[in-house]
Amino acid sequence: MKRLLLLFGVSLILLALYMDRQVPEHVVLHRARVVVISSLMNVIHTLMYIGETFFNYEYYHWLKFDFPIQPVMDNGDVKARNDVIADTPVRIYTPYSKTESSISPGILFFHGGGFCCLSIEGFYHDIAMDLANRTGSIVISVDYRLAPEYPHPVGLNDCFAVTKYVYEHSNQYGIDQNRLYISGWAKMLRVMALD
């Protein structure tokens, strides 16, 4: 119980520290949401690091937010379906504006979480759905394996395998190979760019 109270206290202090950060000037819409979501993600990441370093994994797993994959969804503008690419679960978002024979730009979307938490559900599902709707692109959201069950670089290898497969078989997904983009949250993209 004392550890849980300590964890709660540390999380409140971290939240207060992260909330004080400035939002970049180019973010015009929903500045308050950006501050809150960014702060919460930073707190979760820091708490997982503290949990892994100083405590047993029981606290670490409590913070994972590992949601089960949901069935096929549809919001009227974008159809989402679950699939498996290169032995990795993915969700493919296709705008209804895309016809069967047309070739569209493609976006490979990698969710955040530092290779150890979160999934393609919830917050990242909404982002991928909106990304497909606003860009008219086919978005493939990758649900790579997470640490500590799958230590680094397993999750990164999943991302590379999906990227390579989609690039080599882009026509199978109706994606223009010359307009295949990578998107996601900072840590994932930095590591992929370095490799």
Side-chain angles (χ1 to χ4, degrees), residues 70-86:
Q70 299 298 317
V72 173
M73 288 132 300
D74 182 346
N75 77 349
D77 295 320
V78 176
K79 179 183 178 188
R81 66 181 174 88
N82 296 323
D83 202 347
V84 176
I85 298 175

Side-chain angles (χ1 to χ4, degrees), residues 125-157:
H125 167 72
D126 294 339
I127 289 174
M129 185 82 75
D130 192 50
L131 190 60
N133 187 33
R134 289 178 187 243
T135 64
S137 302
I138 296 171
V139 176
I140 299 176
S141 186
V142 181
D143 198 27
Y144 54 86
R145 291 176 285 181
L146 306 174
E149 292 85 2
Y150 302 98
H152 183 75
V154 173
L156 184 61
N157 291 340

Side-chain angles (χ1 to χ4, degrees), residues 32-103:
R33 286 185 191 173
V34 170
V35 169
V36 171
I37 291 170
S38 175
S39 299
L40 288 173
M41 293 300 294
N42 283 319
V43 167
I44 290 169
H45 183 265
T46 305
L47 287 176
M48 282 190 277
Y49 174 77
I50 291 170
E52 180 181 6
T53 306
F54 300 108
F55 302 111
N56 295 330
Y57 278 120
E58 61 183 285
Y59 293 103
Y60 183 86
H61 287 288
W62 177 71
L63 291 170
K64 276 188 85 161
F65 300 109
D66 196 12
F67 301 108
I69 301 297
Q70 299 298 317
V72 173
M73 288 132 300
D74 182 346
N75 77 349
D77 295 320
V78 176
K79 179 183 178 188
R81 66 181 174 88
N82 296 323
D83 202 347
V84 176
I85 298 175
D87 297 323
T88 303
V90 298
R91 181 167 295 147
I92 301 173
Y93 299 86
T94 307
Y96 278 116
S97 59
K98 181 193 177 317
T99 61
E100 285 291 324
S101 61
S102 68
I103 301 295

Side-chain angles (χ1 to χ4, degrees), residues 1 8 10 23 29 44 59 82 91 106 115 130 133 139 141 152 157 160 162 166 174 178 181 185:
M1 184 65 175
F8 182 70
V10 169
V23 178
L29 296 174
I44 290 169
Y59 293 103
N82 296 323
R91 181 167 295 147
F115 297 103
D130 192 50
N133 187 33
V139 176
S141 186
H152 183 75
N157 291 340
F160 278 125
V162 171
V166 170
N178 296 319
Y181 306 97
W185 288 72

